[in-house]
Amino acid sequence: MAEDHSGVSFTDDEYRFLRHVRFGELPPAVHPEERTALTETDPRRDQPDPGDERDRWDLRHGA
């Protein structure tokens, strides 16, 4: 089904207002000096260890 584009077109200000109504305001920008380094965490517990056999993991957990 084709869309009907024969209606009234919005101005840039109207589009800006509609975006604001739909999404609200953006959070304030984070400055580079406020950023923190990535910290690695322990591996996920719902996945097998890389050395573990996948077949054994599937059998153990009913997959």
Side-chain angles (χ1 to χ4, degrees), residues 29-50:
V30 178
H31 300 287
E33 61 272 6
E34 296 172 345
R35 297 180 187 162
T36 59
L38 175 67
T39 303
E40 293 293 332
T41 60
D42 292 333
R44 295 175 45 174
R45 302 309 296 162
D46 62 340
Q47 295 292 319
D49 293 331

Side-chain angles (χ1 to χ4, degrees), residues 5-61:
H5 295 286
S6 62
V8 177
S9 179
F10 293 113
T11 65
D12 288 344
D13 286 336
E14 290 169 329
Y15 276 124
R16 191 174 299 115
F17 172 74
L18 292 172
R19 276 193 306 274
H20 177 74
V21 168
R22 182 172 180 185
F23 300 110
E25 292 187 28
L26 292 173
V30 178
H31 300 287
E33 61 272 6
E34 296 172 345
R35 297 180 187 162
T36 59
L38 175 67
T39 303
E40 293 293 332
T41 60
D42 292 333
R44 295 175 45 174
R45 302 309 296 162
D46 62 340
Q47 295 292 319
D49 293 331
D52 199 5
E53 296 176 24
R54 183 70 188 177
D55 294 336
R56 288 181 55 209
W57 178 265
D58 289 344
L59 289 174
R60 206 174 351 176
H61 296 282

